[in-house]
Amino acid sequence: MNNDPFGDRDMRGETFRKANMEGCRFDSVNLSGASFWAVLENARFGDCNMAGVSFDDVNLSNATVENANLSGGSITNANLSGLTISAANLTGISISHADMQGASISGVDLK
C-alpha cells in the first residue's frame, strides 16, 4: 500500500489490522471511529475527520497530521517518534504508553 492515496473517501468505522500502510496519504478522508493496528510510518493525514479514531499498537513514526479533527480519539502503545501534528483538534484525546521522542505538536486545540 505504500504511497497509495486515500483521497475524499468515507472510511468511517473501518478497521485496519496488521496492515502495512507505510507512506500512505489520507487526504480529506472521513476516518471517524476507525481503528488502526498498523504500520503508518511516514503516512500523511491532511484535512481528515478522525473523531473517535483509535490507534492501538501502531507505528506513526515520522508521520504528519495536518488540519485534522482527532477529538475523542485514543492513541495507545504507539511509536510517535518524529510525528508532526499541526492545526489539529485534540480535544479529549487520550494518549498513553507512547514514544514521543522528537515529535512536534503545534497550533492544536486541547480544550
Side-chain angles (χ1 to χ4, degrees), residues 5-37:
F6 292 98
D8 295 317
R9 293 196 186 177
D10 186 349
M11 301 176 86
R12 280 179 284 190
E14 292 288 335
T15 298
F16 302 93
R17 184 176 300 275
K18 295 184 181 180
N20 181 357
M21 303 177 89
E22 184 176 345
C24 284
R25 295 186 326 264
F26 297 87
D27 295 315
S28 300
V29 176
N30 184 352
L31 290 164
S32 59
S35 298
F36 289 88
W37 290 272

